[in-house]
Amino acid sequence: MFRRAFWFTAGAAAGVWATTKVNRKLKQLTPESLAAQAANKAVETGHRLKDFALDVRAGMAQREAELGEALGIEEPVDRGLPAQRGRTALENQKQYRKHYEMLDKKHPYNRNEDH
């Protein structure tokens, strides 16, 4: 008697688990869910590209400052050119990064909240 009850309960639990698993997978494969996943990936990729661009910009400013110090150039040769970027550009880079990180933490983008 107990053996039958055990196997009946185990079979029912396995059925509920499998049904739940299949329903979750079906919800993930709906067009709306796929579109939301694609949008989230696009936003994530945009953030990565922005971070990469900021890193490149900071590296350029740092290298430009190093070359200026090595060559003894304090001001640009041509007065029509913009001023040389130095440590202030790096500080601005850090400020922008902190600002965007704060915004990401405050308002995380979740497309599923709209629906």
Side-chain angles (χ1 to χ4, degrees), residues 50-51 53-59 87-100:
K50 177 190 70 179
D51 290 341
L54 291 174
D55 289 343
V56 167
R57 195 176 278 184
R87 297 193 198 294
T88 57
L90 293 174
E91 292 170 2
N92 288 338
Q93 148 83 20
K94 290 177 185 176
Q95 292 277 338
Y96 287 133
R97 187 170 294 226
K98 285 181 185 177
H99 176 72
Y100 284 115

Side-chain angles (χ1 to χ4, degrees), residues 34-102:
L34 291 175
Q37 289 175 11
N40 289 339
K41 292 283 185 184
V43 168
E44 182 181 325
T45 302
H47 287 304
R48 286 183 183 172
L49 285 173
K50 177 190 70 179
D51 290 341
F52 175 72
L54 291 174
D55 289 343
V56 167
R57 195 176 278 184
M60 274 187 347
Q62 182 180 2
R63 183 65 179 149
E64 193 173 305
E66 289 172 1
L67 289 173
E69 288 175 11
L71 296 173
I73 301 173
E74 296 297 326
E75 295 182 20
V77 178
D78 186 5
R79 294 288 179 189
L81 295 175
Q84 180 178 354
R85 291 178 286 177
R87 297 193 198 294
T88 57
L90 293 174
E91 292 170 2
N92 288 338
Q93 148 83 20
K94 290 177 185 176
Q95 292 277 338
Y96 287 133
R97 187 170 294 226
K98 285 181 185 177
H99 176 72
Y100 284 115
E101 286 174 359
M102 182 186 69

Side-chain angles (χ1 to χ4, degrees), residues 26-39 111-112 115:
L26 286 175
K27 285 181 183 177
Q28 286 180 352
L29 296 176
T30 61
E32 294 85 14
S33 179
L34 291 175
Q37 289 175 11
R111 186 172 170 92
N112 291 331
H115 301 287

